[in-house]
Amino acid sequence: MGDPTGRNGDDDGKSGSGDEADLSARLKRLESRLGEASSRRDTQARAGSRGSSDMSGLGKALRFSAEFIAGIVAGFGVGWAIDSVVGTSPWGMIVGLLLGFGAGMLNIMRAAGELNRRPRSGTSPGDTDRRSGPDGDSSGDAR
């Protein structure tokens, strides 16, 4: 292999020890900076994963299931009330259940969209918030 400095050994080894000392010093500085950066990233990740505004997976599942069941129960109740008043025994309940199922699915989609719009506290250091302006506030938001 060739010499990466392009000197091909023409300097009689006079500056070789100085170059090695510079390279080893630079390598030590780089290792220390990398260590600091990785420790900062680890502490930020630990702090971000336990953010108080971020919902856990179980919390999201409970919210989605409650939204879905509430829609079905409301549809069943309205269908049963219509059946008892009008006298069309199973049909009001069937239609109410179908409408309740649709309303429950709509509620789940709305709740999921709302959770996606919230800013996350556990973002990595390289991520940028596209909704915020240059000084960090929401003034750059076009909406």
Side-chain angles (χ1 to χ4, degrees):
M1 287 195 155
D3 188 10
T5 60
R7 286 181 263 168
N8 294 327
D10 293 336
D11 58 357
D12 296 331
K14 294 177 184 173
S15 64
S17 63
D19 287 341
E20 288 180 23
D22 287 342
L23 288 176
S24 64
R26 287 176 54 199
L27 181 62
K28 287 179 183 178
R29 285 194 311 259
L30 179 62
E31 286 175 352
S32 67
R33 286 177 43 202
L34 284 174
E36 291 172 3
S38 66
S39 65
R40 272 195 312 253
R41 187 179 327 136
D42 290 343
T43 56
Q44 287 176 351
R46 275 188 242 121
S49 66
R50 296 182 187 144
S52 61
S53 66
D54 193 23
M55 292 180 65
S56 69
L58 180 62
K60 290 176 187 176
L62 288 174
R63 179 177 178 190
F64 292 158
S65 62
E67 296 275 352
F68 184 64
I69 291 171
I72 291 176
V73 168
F76 174 80
V78 169
W80 179 77
I82 289 175
D83 275 344
S84 65
V85 171
V86 178
T88 57
S89 182
W91 296 108
M93 217 173 349
I94 292 171
V95 170
L97 278 173
L98 291 174
L99 290 175
F101 179 80
M105 292 301 290
L106 182 65
N107 285 340
I108 288 174
M109 289 190 296
R110 284 182 184 166
E114 178 182 319
L115 288 177
N116 284 338
R117 281 193 298 267
R118 287 185 185 166
R120 294 188 182 127
S121 62
T123 58
S124 60
D127 292 345
T128 58
D129 189 9
R130 290 184 179 95
R131 292 178 289 170
S132 63
D135 56 352
D137 64 353
S138 303
S139 62
D141 196 1
R143 287 188 258 165

